[in-house]
């Protein structure tokens, strides 16, 4: 696993496709992930610390995780198949680790809310940074 960080969010309201860029924490490699507008807004709000009067979907899921006395340990971009990225949200609850299948955009939105480390599998990074 390679530690990553969110490098950029590119939001274009006239397009259905938004872009986030992940960059190696201790390296130069980076790669884009195309995401939806709502997920881009969720990530942008979390980065900027913007709160809403009522919980939105990502807030609700975070509240559920906390309500179950669990916490997000890390986010893992785990695979790349047919130009689609796959991710996992790794939770810790009562000493047990739970892996939740996720879209990368949703996982990264949660990572930004809770300042959670983001990782990418080495094979995925090597594939996108050929």
């Amino acid at each position: 696993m390679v530690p990553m960080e969110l490098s950029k969010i590119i939001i274009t309201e006239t397009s259905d496709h938004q872009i986030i860029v992940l960059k190696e924490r201790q390296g130069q490699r980076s790669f884009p992930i195309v995401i939806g507008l709502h997920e881009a807004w969720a990530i942008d709000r979390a980065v900027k610390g913007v709160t809403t009067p009522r919980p939105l979907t990502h807030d609700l899921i975070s509240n559920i995780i906390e309500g179950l006395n669990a916490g997000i340990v890390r986010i893992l971009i785990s695979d790349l198949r047919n130009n689609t990225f796959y991710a996992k949200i790794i939770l810790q609850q009562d000493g047990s680790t739970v892996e939740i299948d996720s879209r990368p955009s949703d996982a990264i939105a949660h990572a930004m809310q809770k300042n959670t480390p983001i990782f990418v599998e080495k094979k995925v990074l090597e594939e996108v940074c050929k």
Side-chain angles (χ1 to χ4, degrees):
M1 291 189 305
V2 179
M4 305 295 288
E5 61 188 20
L6 180 65
S7 173
K8 276 185 211 172
I9 306 169
I10 302 168
I11 298 175
T12 308
E13 293 183 21
T14 57
S15 172
D16 290 339
H17 302 291
Q18 313 308 310
I19 297 172
I20 55 174
V21 177
L22 296 181
K23 180 191 172 305
E24 275 183 298
R25 280 194 175 273
Q26 287 124 13
Q28 297 301 313
R29 295 180 290 183
S30 64
F31 64 94
I33 300 176
V34 176
I35 65 173
L37 183 58
H38 296 290
E39 293 78 12
W41 281 338
I43 293 168
D44 190 55
R45 275 193 308 273
V47 167
K48 293 176 178 172
V50 175
T51 57
T52 57
R54 300 286 301 145
L56 299 176
T57 304
H58 293 96
D59 305 317
L60 172 64
I61 293 170
S62 289
N63 292 344
I64 291 169
I65 291 169
E66 289 175 13
L68 294 171
N69 293 318
I72 301 175
V73 178
R74 70 182 170 278
I75 301 307
L76 176 63
I77 309 300
S78 57
D79 204 358
L80 175 63
R81 288 181 262 149
N82 299 319
N83 295 317
T84 300
F85 289 96
Y86 291 78
K88 295 178 181 176
I89 299 173
I90 314 300
L91 302 175
Q92 190 82 30
Q93 182 186 38
D94 298 327
S96 296
T97 301
V98 179
E99 291 186 3
I100 308 295
D101 183 34
S102 175
R103 295 181 304 178
S105 56
D106 293 323
I108 291 167
H110 288 291
M112 294 299 99
Q113 283 181 330
K114 301 296 181 185
N115 198 25
T116 303
I118 301 169
F119 293 89
V120 66
E121 287 288 0
K122 188 176 179 182
K123 68 178 181 168
V124 173
L125 188 59
E126 289 170 354
E127 174 75 18
V128 295
C129 295
K130 289 181 185 178

